[in-house]
Amino acid sequence: MSQSKDHNRRFTLASRPKGEPDENTLKLENADIPVPASNQMLLRNQYLSLDPYMRGRMSDAPSYAAPVEIGEVMVGGTVSKVEKSNIEGFSEGDWVVAFGGWQDYALSDGTGVINMGKNPQNPSWALGVLGMPGLTAWAGLTEIGQPKEGETLVVAGASGPVGATVGQIAKILGLRVVGIAGGAEKCQHVIDTLGFDACVDYKSLSFAEDLKAAVPSGIDIYFENVGGEVFDAVLPLLNTSARVPLCGLISQYNATSLPDGPDRMNYLMGQLLRKRITMRGFIVFDDFGHLYPAFAKQMTEWVKSGKIKYREEMIDGLEHAPSAFIGLLRGEAFGKRVIKLNP
Ligand SMILES: NC(=O)c1ccc[n+]([C@@H]2O[C@H](COP(=O)([O-])OP(=O)(O)OC[C@H]3O[C@@H](n4cnc5c(N)ncnc54)[C@H](OP(=O)(O)O)[C@@H]3O)[C@@H](O)[C@H]2O)c1
């Protein structure tokens, strides 16, 4: 279904999911196309980014950002075109990176909006390797991971936008890089296309032994994207003075309770203490937003020269966004999932 010039299709939050989101979580509505005030512009969204953090915004549990309220439009990063502008620095036809949400049209006062001009190449990449996930990978790895040539890095979610970028940057910097991904096809891609040294399938029954065999010198940096059982296998393999950029815990986003089994908190604390491990959480724009210009310059060069490869999974039609998002949390995405709003 394409966009209309008469109304604004939008997804609002209808109910807070318990566990996995379902068909009752979001509601498709038709609204009037908003009219920009004297300090605003009207954006026509072209691409909508689907990202794991959106699950957190559906919940009202305390977090680093306010939840989406019931009845509000679901938040999301977009690549959009300016339809009408009353703001200096933006004119009709400009492509921008904005926070337009799950809808066809959005108003913006320009805050936090990046102008890409009239003819950007691969505009949707600004939602992936050249945007938020790329900055997350670059800043988390270099600022917290403190990579050194010859060290061993492990990253989970290795075929996803953050993990794929982390591993490729680490290869450029001269590290041995081991990915963790779900299934043989994704692992093959991680080795053959992304150039990692090895990749271990976390769905295999022999995962913990396979991981141990893949890191004969232990792990110096573990870039944490998933948590849960993957982290259980990683923890005993961390070296003294290892660094753990704590980026995400996607295996837990739909969880409704703590996992069964013995309380392993003391084991974790003991490992951190004895091995003097640094584990630091970060929220990309809060902690590293100021690094965006340096990141964008470096990453554009790497992507242009082919040193960093990028895989995108484009899905046509806003109406498919909810099912595509549920699938993303289940591990069905293969690369960066983006919704094309005007196919
Ligand atoms: N801190 C920040 O500021 C920040 C910013 C951006 C992203 N993040 C976090 O970074 C992580 C990666 O983000 P992304 O955008 O690149 O997403 P992504 O990798 O595309 O996330 C989806 C992938 O997560 C993996 N996954 C899901 N459930 C899993 C489980 N139970 N065990 C192991 N793996 C599981 C799956 O990998 P397979 O396909 O291999 O099965 C799935 O394809 C997420 O946790 C996200 O929340 C944090």
Side-chain angles (χ1 to χ4, degrees):
M1 212 192 304
S2 310
Q3 288 176 327
S4 157
K5 282 193 180 286
D6 305 322
H7 61 265
N8 181 26
R9 296 173 309 162
R10 59 186 200 181
F11 273 105
T12 57
L13 186 65
S15 62
R16 299 204 184 281
K18 293 183 181 58
E20 191 176 73
D22 61 20
E23 67 279 5
N24 299 315
T25 304
L26 294 154
K27 186 171 144 201
L28 185 57
E29 297 175 351
N30 284 328
D32 290 341
I33 296 174
V35 178
S38 58
N39 63 340
Q40 290 181 321
M41 57 184 163
L42 176 66
L43 303 179
R44 183 164 173 162
N45 297 333
Q46 308 291 316
Y47 300 102
L48 167 68
S49 178
L50 294 182
D51 294 282
Y53 77 82
M54 292 167 169
R55 177 63 185 84
R57 299 293 168 84
M58 292 173 175
S59 160
D60 57 3
S63 188
Y64 62 91
V68 175
E69 296 300 337
I70 300 293
E72 271 184 0
V73 176
M74 188 60 207
V75 293
T78 54
V79 162
S80 315
K81 267 176 106 171
V82 177
E83 283 274 298
K84 186 174 183 336
S85 174
N86 298 325
I87 312 178
E88 212 174 301
F90 297 96
S91 61
E92 191 184 326
D94 284 348
W95 287 79
V96 297
V97 190
F99 216 55
W102 291 39
Q103 57 186 343
D104 287 330
Y105 296 91
L107 293 177
S108 167
D109 65 4
T111 307
V113 176
I114 298 169
N115 194 338
M116 298 192 286
K118 301 277 190 242
N119 285 307
Q121 276 189 345
N122 303 310
S124 62
W125 293 18
L127 300 173
V129 68
L130 295 173
M132 187 277 279
L135 176 63
T136 302
W138 187 75
L141 174 61
T142 55
E143 295 290 307
I144 302 175
Q146 298 286 321
K148 293 169 200 67
E149 200 176 339
E151 288 188 330
T152 297
L153 171 135
V154 171
V155 60
S159 71
V162 174
T165 313
V166 167
Q168 292 183 87
I169 299 171
K171 280 305 296 176
I172 292 171
L173 299 178
L175 282 78
R176 173 176 164 75
V177 175
V178 177
I180 298 173
E185 193 190 0
K186 285 179 180 171
C187 275
Q188 208 60 51
H189 166 76
V190 165
I191 296 170
D192 293 350
T193 306
L194 304 181
F196 288 27
D197 297 289
C199 185
V200 184
D201 178 0
Y202 70 88
K203 294 181 178 169
S204 161
L205 290 175
S206 56
F207 167 59
E209 298 100 85
D210 297 345
L211 182 62
K212 190 172 180 191
V215 293
S217 310
I219 301 171
D220 300 299
I221 303 172
Y222 174 54
F223 194 101
E224 177 62 292
N225 282 327
V226 306
E229 290 170 13
V230 170
F231 183 66
D232 285 345
V234 165
L235 183 56
L237 303 174
L238 291 174
N239 289 334
T240 297
S241 301
R243 284 84 66 201
V244 181
L246 181 43
C247 174
L249 297 168
I250 192 169
S251 73
Q252 308 303 305
Y253 292 173
N254 283 328
T256 51
S257 62
L258 291 171
D260 289 339
D263 181 351
R264 287 160 45 81
M265 185 66 84
N266 284 333
Y267 173 64
L268 169 65
M269 301 290 268
Q271 290 286 305
L272 296 182
L273 171 63
R274 280 188 287 281
K275 293 182 182 171
R276 284 144 284 171
I277 292 165
T278 302
M279 181 183 276
R280 183 182 150 197
F282 67 100
I283 302 300
V284 64
F285 284 120
D286 292 5
D287 295 308
F288 300 129
H290 60 285
L291 298 177
Y292 184 81
F295 151 77
K297 184 169 178 290
Q298 176 67 85
M299 191 57 74
T300 303
E301 275 170 27
W302 280 338
V303 169
K304 270 194 182 150
S305 67
K307 281 189 173 167
I308 296 261
K309 307 276 191 313
Y310 180 56
R311 182 180 172 118
E312 194 177 55
E313 205 182 55
M314 190 68 78
I315 295 172
D316 280 348
L318 178 64
E319 63 277 16
H320 296 124
S323 56
F325 177 65
I326 292 167
L328 169 74
L329 295 176
R330 286 182 186 164
E332 290 167 9
F334 193 172
K336 170 71 196 174
R337 240 178 209 193
V338 174
I339 301 291
K340 191 172 188 185
L341 295 176
N342 201 13

